[in-house]
Amino acid sequence: MAKQNKQITITIDGKKIKTSPGENLVKAAKTNGIFIPSLCYFESNESPLGTCRVCTCNIDGKPSPACMEKTREGMEVEVNVDELKNYRKAIVEMMFSEGNHFCPGCEKSGNCDLQHMGYEMGVSRSRFPHIFKDRLIDFNPKRMIIEHNRCVKCRRCVEEVLTDDNLQVFSFCNRGNETVVGIDYEQEAKLSEEQALNAMHICPTGAILVRGQSFAKPFGDRRFDMKSVQKDYQKQLPPENPDKPREPKTIATISLAGCFGCHMSMLDIDLELLDLVEFVEFNKSPLNDIKEFTKRCDIGLIEGGCCNSENVEVLKEFRKKCDILVAVGECSIWGGLPAMRNTIPLRECLEEAYLNGITTEPGEYIVPYDTDLPKILDKVYSCNEIVEIDHYIPGCPPDAHHIWKAVMNLLWGEQYSVLYSEFKYD
Ligand code: SF4
Ligand code: SF4
Ligand code: FES
């Protein structure tokens, strides 16, 4: 049947827009400059999947996935309602908790819809406990690698990846929590390189990778790098209250097993640091060389993880003396570069460093063992493995303005927007 030319009027967040009847709602909103977050939906699919629920909006007063709705005269849609924004964010956070997503080490970073949705919604941590499932990484297919730990079961691959004989390559196996995407090796082997690449692009996460193609486009030039489809999404936060005076607060900082890069970044706000010191006092910190706590602090900023016994002691002391503890940078969050040694037994590391390494002085074949030296731990620990951490500021190092805006938010409850360009890192 020919599509009707008649235009209808629908209302989205109070704004009246003209569109064709029977148009997909997510698409109609996008055409009119309104962003409805979505993940499993993609425009070329005539029959939306409706599997993720990230696009949930109030439609004529009822919550419903927008990608499953077609436009009709008089339709009333609410997108940017605080409660819905929170629900949508919670869904994305659950996806991060359910799988193993470590974006800086992921081949799909910058090209990944899930990562992008996380940035758009301001997800910096998940409120749900991580499940840490140990799923298979399947290297058996001819052209692809399937990383099941990153699959969000959106069903895109099942519906869209077909051979020339119209046979499915992917299917869902098992049920409920145990559901995984199965791949038919025989059918996969029939795919051309172009069809395999299409499968990688269809997948909204880094679950489907094509051998030799994951880094074909360098970081920085990727689809979502340095751009936001909805720049204003996070600017809808309430503005900070300029009338509320800032109470003076005390900050402590420390660098454990790190490179001091995060501390250098903290100084990178240049002259704004002078404004900051008007209402914060630094206590124990390498920034002022105060070596011991002289009072309880409102916030402690931790750079670096724990590689020796002294790091552990200092971190525990920070936990005791600071009301809020923030892990700043990758080394404090997961161990970072120093944690590369975690894949090698400690004995081998010490032998390489002190006995067999090319920098070992002839005749100086000794592993330092003085009792005054802190004991090296069996591995490098992230801070949250030792003490409870209240907040995380990722980055290597995180941007200076981002660190201080986060700190101000925590100390004085000041709201701010995390701009995509500021928070995006690879
Ligand atoms: S699949 Fe996406 S969200 Fe998951 S680790 Fe990779 S880039 Fe991050
Ligand atoms: S492999 Fe990718 S496309 Fe397929 S269900 Fe998982 S996330 Fe979706
Ligand atoms: S985008 Fe609508 S349910 Fe996934």
Side-chain angles (χ1 to χ4, degrees), residues 212-271:
Q213 295 295 334
S214 306
F215 294 104
K217 194 164 253 194
F219 293 125
D221 291 345
R222 294 182 166 204
R223 197 151 52 106
F224 298 119
D225 283 339
M226 304 306 285
K227 76 165 189 196
S228 164
V229 287
Q230 163 56 343
K231 291 194 183 63
D232 294 334
Y233 190 66
Q234 291 162 35
K235 289 189 187 145
Q236 291 150 3
L237 291 166
E240 58 181 84
N241 182 356
D243 305 327
K244 202 170 147 205
R246 286 174 180 153
E247 306 260 324
K249 301 280 183 185
T250 315
I251 296 183
T253 77
I254 193 68
S255 181
L256 304 174
C259 68
F260 259 86
C262 294
H263 272 77
M264 298 311 288
S265 186
M266 287 178 208
L267 295 173
D268 245 7
I269 52 169
D270 303 322
L271 291 179

Side-chain angles (χ1 to χ4, degrees), residues 258-294:
C259 68
F260 259 86
C262 294
H263 272 77
M264 298 311 288
S265 186
M266 287 178 208
L267 295 173
D268 245 7
I269 52 169
D270 303 322
L271 291 179
E272 282 174 55
L273 198 57
L274 298 178
D275 297 335
L276 191 72
V277 290
E278 273 188 26
F279 40 87
V280 298
E281 179 198 336
F282 283 91
N283 201 265
K284 176 170 171 144
S285 170
L287 296 174
N288 54 12
D289 209 21
I290 295 181
K291 297 207 168 20
E292 299 300 334
F293 279 101
T294 56

